Amino acid sequence: MAKVCDFVDEVSNQCLQWSELKLSWLDELNNLTQAQANEILIQVVGFWLLCWAYKALLIFIDYK
């Protein structure tokens, strides 16, 4: 969660009160780094390949 300053003390230029900024899931996706996006993509493709391998194994076992 991102923090946002609500009130600033003009004399000391310090924040007096913070609040949390609620981001939508689209905003959070937009803030992903390239490395984070690559990691998610690798995990999705890896899961898909694992499911495909299990399906192929089940088909192989069924035919024998």
Side-chain angles (χ1 to χ4, degrees):
M1 288 279 166
K3 298 267 186 183
V4 178
C5 183
D6 290 332
F7 300 107
V8 177
D9 181 15
E10 294 181 12
V11 176
S12 63
N13 200 24
Q14 291 186 355
C15 186
L16 300 175
Q17 181 178 352
W18 292 92
S19 65
E20 287 188 1
L21 177 64
K22 306 276 186 201
L23 297 175
S24 71
W25 64 275
L26 284 176
D27 290 333
E28 291 193 24
L29 276 179
N30 206 18
N31 290 333
L32 288 177
T33 64
Q34 184 68 37
Q36 291 170 327
N38 287 342
E39 182 66 27
I40 291 171
L41 183 62
I42 288 168
Q43 290 179 1
V44 168
V45 169
F47 180 72
W48 183 85
L49 288 174
L50 180 66
C51 292
W52 177 83
Y54 280 141
K55 180 182 175 187
L57 180 63
L58 288 173
I59 290 172
F60 176 74
I61 291 171
D62 190 42
Y63 283 125
K64 295 294 174 182

